[in-house]
Amino acid sequence: VDFTRFGSSVRQEFLGDITMVGWTIDLSLDLYELLPLVGGDCGSSIITRDTTFQRYMRLLNAIQGWVHPRSEIIKSVAPYLQAKPFLLPLDLSRVSWYEPAFQQKLNTFISCLGKDVTEGGWSSAF
């Protein structure tokens, strides 16, 4: 409810001289325990079985659905946000940057998260 109220109140006339370049939510995904579940590609990763990841994705799908409805019958609660990119917050503060294959796992994670489920990815929210 709070997001729909916020999203519907975002309009250029309320922003004044501020230029909105993107939008996000204040809920980052902690990759400390999740990144080790990422395999070499989307299909070989077991991250999609993790309940934390599943809940996060359900929330992102719901929020994206409010902004970008999949039906022409339903109106967006935040039409102004539709033309702005969504910035996905990720928490990397506890991840070991020196862990072997860290960069490869992070690249796979970002790639799979941005790829639609119908294409073998993990999300249809982006």
Side-chain angles (χ1 to χ4, degrees), residues 83-97:
K84 306 298 180 188
F86 176 72
L87 308 172
L88 181 67
L90 300 174
D91 182 357
L92 298 170
S93 64
R94 300 188 312 144
V95 174
S96 172
W97 293 83

PDB file of all heavy atoms in Angstrom, residues 83-97:
ATOM      1  N   ALA A  83       8.943   4.897 -17.478  1.00  0.00           N
ATOM      2  CA  ALA A  83       9.993   5.308 -18.413  1.00  0.00           C
ATOM      3  C   ALA A  83      11.361   5.433 -17.744  1.00  0.00           C
ATOM      4  O   ALA A  83      12.344   5.752 -18.410  1.00  0.00           O
ATOM      5  CB  ALA A  83       9.615   6.642 -19.058  1.00  0.00           C
ATOM      6  N   LYS A  84      11.420   5.171 -16.444  1.00  0.00           N
ATOM      7  CA  LYS A  84      12.679   5.299 -15.709  1.00  0.00           C
ATOM      8  C   LYS A  84      13.229   3.912 -15.389  1.00  0.00           C
ATOM      9  O   LYS A  84      12.486   2.995 -15.051  1.00  0.00           O
ATOM     10  CB  LYS A  84      12.465   6.061 -14.394  1.00  0.00           C
ATOM     11  CG  LYS A  84      11.802   7.405 -14.544  1.00  0.00           C
ATOM     12  CD  LYS A  84      12.631   8.348 -15.372  1.00  0.00           C
ATOM     13  CE  LYS A  84      11.930   9.691 -15.497  1.00  0.00           C
ATOM     14  NZ  LYS A  84      12.587  10.557 -16.426  1.00  0.00           N
ATOM     15  N   PRO A  85      14.549   3.749 -15.444  1.00  0.00           N
ATOM     16  CA  PRO A  85      15.122   2.440 -15.120  1.00  0.00           C
ATOM     17  C   PRO A  85      15.016   2.127 -13.626  1.00  0.00           C
ATOM     18  O   PRO A  85      15.111   3.020 -12.785  1.00  0.00           O
ATOM     19  CB  PRO A  85      16.585   2.559 -15.551  1.00  0.00           C
ATOM     20  CG  PRO A  85      16.866   4.005 -15.619  1.00  0.00           C
ATOM     21  CD  PRO A  85      15.566   4.708 -15.880  1.00  0.00           C
ATOM     22  N   PHE A  86      14.825   0.857 -13.329  1.00  0.00           N
ATOM     23  CA  PHE A  86      14.801   0.383 -11.946  1.00  0.00           C
ATOM     24  C   PHE A  86      16.223  -0.003 -11.564  1.00  0.00           C
ATOM     25  O   PHE A  86      16.886  -0.757 -12.269  1.00  0.00           O
ATOM     26  CB  PHE A  86      13.873  -0.827 -11.814  1.00  0.00           C
ATOM     27  CG  PHE A  86      13.883  -1.431 -10.440  1.00  0.00           C
ATOM     28  CD1 PHE A  86      13.280  -0.771  -9.386  1.00  0.00           C
ATOM     29  CD2 PHE A  86      14.499  -2.649 -10.200  1.00  0.00           C
ATOM     30  CE1 PHE A  86      13.278  -1.310  -8.113  1.00  0.00           C
ATOM     31  CE2 PHE A  86      14.506  -3.199  -8.925  1.00  0.00           C
ATOM     32  CZ  PHE A  86      13.899  -2.528  -7.884  1.00  0.00           C
ATOM     33  N   LEU A  87      16.707   0.522 -10.450  1.00  0.00           N
ATOM     34  CA  LEU A  87      18.049   0.225  -9.967  1.00  0.00           C
ATOM     35  C   LEU A  87      17.943  -0.822  -8.871  1.00  0.00           C
ATOM     36  O   LEU A  87      17.349  -0.581  -7.824  1.00  0.00           O
ATOM     37  CB  LEU A  87      18.704   1.509  -9.431  1.00  0.00           C
ATOM     38  CG  LEU A  87      18.677   2.702 -10.391  1.00  0.00           C
ATOM     39  CD1 LEU A  87      19.169   3.958  -9.689  1.00  0.00           C
ATOM     40  CD2 LEU A  87      19.476   2.404 -11.634  1.00  0.00           C
ATOM     41  N   LEU A  88      18.483  -1.989  -9.111  1.00  0.00           N
ATOM     42  CA  LEU A  88      18.373  -3.099  -8.181  1.00  0.00           C
ATOM     43  C   LEU A  88      19.437  -3.008  -7.091  1.00  0.00           C
ATOM     44  O   LEU A  88      20.634  -3.059  -7.379  1.00  0.00           O
ATOM     45  CB  LEU A  88      18.531  -4.431  -8.928  1.00  0.00           C
ATOM     46  CG  LEU A  88      18.404  -5.683  -8.086  1.00  0.00           C
ATOM     47  CD1 LEU A  88      16.974  -5.828  -7.567  1.00  0.00           C
ATOM     48  CD2 LEU A  88      18.797  -6.903  -8.888  1.00  0.00           C
ATOM     49  N   PRO A  89      19.007  -2.845  -5.837  1.00  0.00           N
ATOM     50  CA  PRO A  89      19.999  -2.754  -4.754  1.00  0.00           C
ATOM     51  C   PRO A  89      20.505  -4.147  -4.349  1.00  0.00           C
ATOM     52  O   PRO A  89      19.719  -5.044  -4.073  1.00  0.00           O
ATOM     53  CB  PRO A  89      19.212  -2.105  -3.612  1.00  0.00           C
ATOM     54  CG  PRO A  89      17.799  -2.477  -3.864  1.00  0.00           C
ATOM     55  CD  PRO A  89      17.642  -2.631  -5.345  1.00  0.00           C
ATOM     56  N   LEU A  90      21.808  -4.308  -4.344  1.00  0.00           N
ATOM     57  CA  LEU A  90      22.437  -5.560  -3.928  1.00  0.00           C
ATOM     58  C   LEU A  90      23.445  -5.255  -2.824  1.00  0.00           C
ATOM     59  O   LEU A  90      24.202  -4.306  -2.929  1.00  0.00           O
ATOM     60  CB  LEU A  90      23.158  -6.229  -5.099  1.00  0.00           C
ATOM     61  CG  LEU A  90      22.302  -6.600  -6.299  1.00  0.00           C
ATOM     62  CD1 LEU A  90      23.180  -7.108  -7.427  1.00  0.00           C
ATOM     63  CD2 LEU A  90      21.249  -7.619  -5.913  1.00  0.00           C
ATOM     64  N   ASP A  91      23.438  -6.063  -1.782  1.00  0.00           N
ATOM     65  CA  ASP A  91      24.358  -5.877  -0.661  1.00  0.00           C
ATOM     66  C   ASP A  91      25.551  -6.804  -0.841  1.00  0.00           C
ATOM     67  O   ASP A  91      25.423  -8.020  -0.718  1.00  0.00           O
ATOM     68  CB  ASP A  91      23.628  -6.172   0.653  1.00  0.00           C
ATOM     69  CG  ASP A  91      24.512  -5.954   1.870  1.00  0.00           C
ATOM     70  OD1 ASP A  91      25.711  -5.634   1.706  1.00  0.00           O
ATOM     71  OD2 ASP A  91      24.008  -6.125   2.994  1.00  0.00           O
ATOM     72  N   LEU A  92      26.697  -6.221  -1.125  1.00  0.00           N
ATOM     73  CA  LEU A  92      27.931  -6.985  -1.289  1.00  0.00           C
ATOM     74  C   LEU A  92      28.900  -6.737  -0.142  1.00  0.00           C
ATOM     75  O   LEU A  92      30.068  -7.098  -0.229  1.00  0.00           O
ATOM     76  CB  LEU A  92      28.603  -6.608  -2.617  1.00  0.00           C
ATOM     77  CG  LEU A  92      27.805  -6.907  -3.878  1.00  0.00           C
ATOM     78  CD1 LEU A  92      28.461  -6.264  -5.086  1.00  0.00           C
ATOM     79  CD2 LEU A  92      27.652  -8.395  -4.078  1.00  0.00           C
ATOM     80  N   SER A  93      28.417  -6.135   0.940  1.00  0.00           N
ATOM     81  CA  SER A  93      29.305  -5.717   2.029  1.00  0.00           C
ATOM     82  C   SER A  93      29.978  -6.881   2.742  1.00  0.00           C
ATOM     83  O   SER A  93      31.079  -6.735   3.246  1.00  0.00           O
ATOM     84  CB  SER A  93      28.536  -4.860   3.035  1.00  0.00           C
ATOM     85  OG  SER A  93      27.504  -5.615   3.658  1.00  0.00           O
ATOM     86  N   ARG A  94      29.343  -8.040   2.807  1.00  0.00           N
ATOM     87  CA  ARG A  94      29.929  -9.175   3.530  1.00  0.00           C
ATOM     88  C   ARG A  94      30.571 -10.203   2.607  1.00  0.00           C
ATOM     89  O   ARG A  94      31.149 -11.179   3.065  1.00  0.00           O
ATOM     90  CB  ARG A  94      28.861  -9.856   4.385  1.00  0.00           C
ATOM     91  CG  ARG A  94      28.256  -8.939   5.417  1.00  0.00           C
ATOM     92  CD  ARG A  94      27.328  -9.637   6.393  1.00  0.00           C
ATOM     93  NE  ARG A  94      26.349 -10.507   5.769  1.00  0.00           N
ATOM     94  CZ  ARG A  94      25.941 -11.663   6.304  1.00  0.00           C
ATOM     95  NH1 ARG A  94      26.425 -12.081   7.445  1.00  0.00           N
ATOM     96  NH2 ARG A  94      25.042 -12.398   5.680  1.00  0.00           N
ATOM     97  N   VAL A  95      30.496  -9.992   1.313  1.00  0.00           N
ATOM     98  CA  VAL A  95      31.045 -10.939   0.341  1.00  0.00           C
ATOM     99  C   VAL A  95      32.558 -10.789   0.282  1.00  0.00           C
ATOM    100  O   VAL A  95      33.088  -9.679   0.300  1.00  0.00           O
ATOM    101  CB  VAL A  95      30.421 -10.691  -1.047  1.00  0.00           C
ATOM    102  CG1 VAL A  95      31.084 -11.552  -2.100  1.00  0.00           C
ATOM    103  CG2 VAL A  95      28.936 -10.953  -1.012  1.00  0.00           C
ATOM    104  N   SER A  96      33.246 -11.916   0.186  1.00  0.00           N
ATOM    105  CA  SER A  96      34.697 -11.889   0.058  1.00  0.00           C
ATOM    106  C   SER A  96      35.075 -11.621  -1.393  1.00  0.00           C
ATOM    107  O   SER A  96      34.810 -12.428  -2.280  1.00  0.00           O
ATOM    108  CB  SER A  96      35.303 -13.231   0.494  1.00  0.00           C
ATOM    109  OG  SER A  96      36.681 -13.250   0.183  1.00  0.00           O
ATOM    110  N   TRP A  97      35.684 -10.461  -1.614  1.00  0.00           N
ATOM    111  CA  TRP A  97      36.099 -10.089  -2.967  1.00  0.00           C
ATOM    112  C   TRP A  97      37.268 -10.938  -3.440  1.00  0.00           C
ATOM    113  O   TRP A  97      37.610 -10.940  -4.613  1.00  0.00           O
ATOM    114  CB  TRP A  97      36.461  -8.608  -3.000  1.00  0.00           C
ATOM    115  CG  TRP A  97      35.274  -7.739  -2.769  1.00  0.00           C
ATOM    116  CD1 TRP A  97      34.729  -7.397  -1.563  1.00  0.00           C
ATOM    117  CD2 TRP A  97      34.436  -7.138  -3.752  1.00  0.00           C
ATOM    118  NE1 TRP A  97      33.617  -6.614  -1.737  1.00  0.00           N
ATOM    119  CE2 TRP A  97      33.414  -6.430  -3.064  1.00  0.00           C
ATOM    120  CE3 TRP A  97      34.444  -7.112  -5.136  1.00  0.00           C
ATOM    121  CZ2 TRP A  97      32.430  -5.721  -3.738  1.00  0.00           C
ATOM    122  CZ3 TRP A  97      33.464  -6.395  -5.799  1.00  0.00           C
ATOM    123  CH2 TRP A  97      32.474  -5.716  -5.097  1.00  0.00           C
TER     124      TRP A  97
END
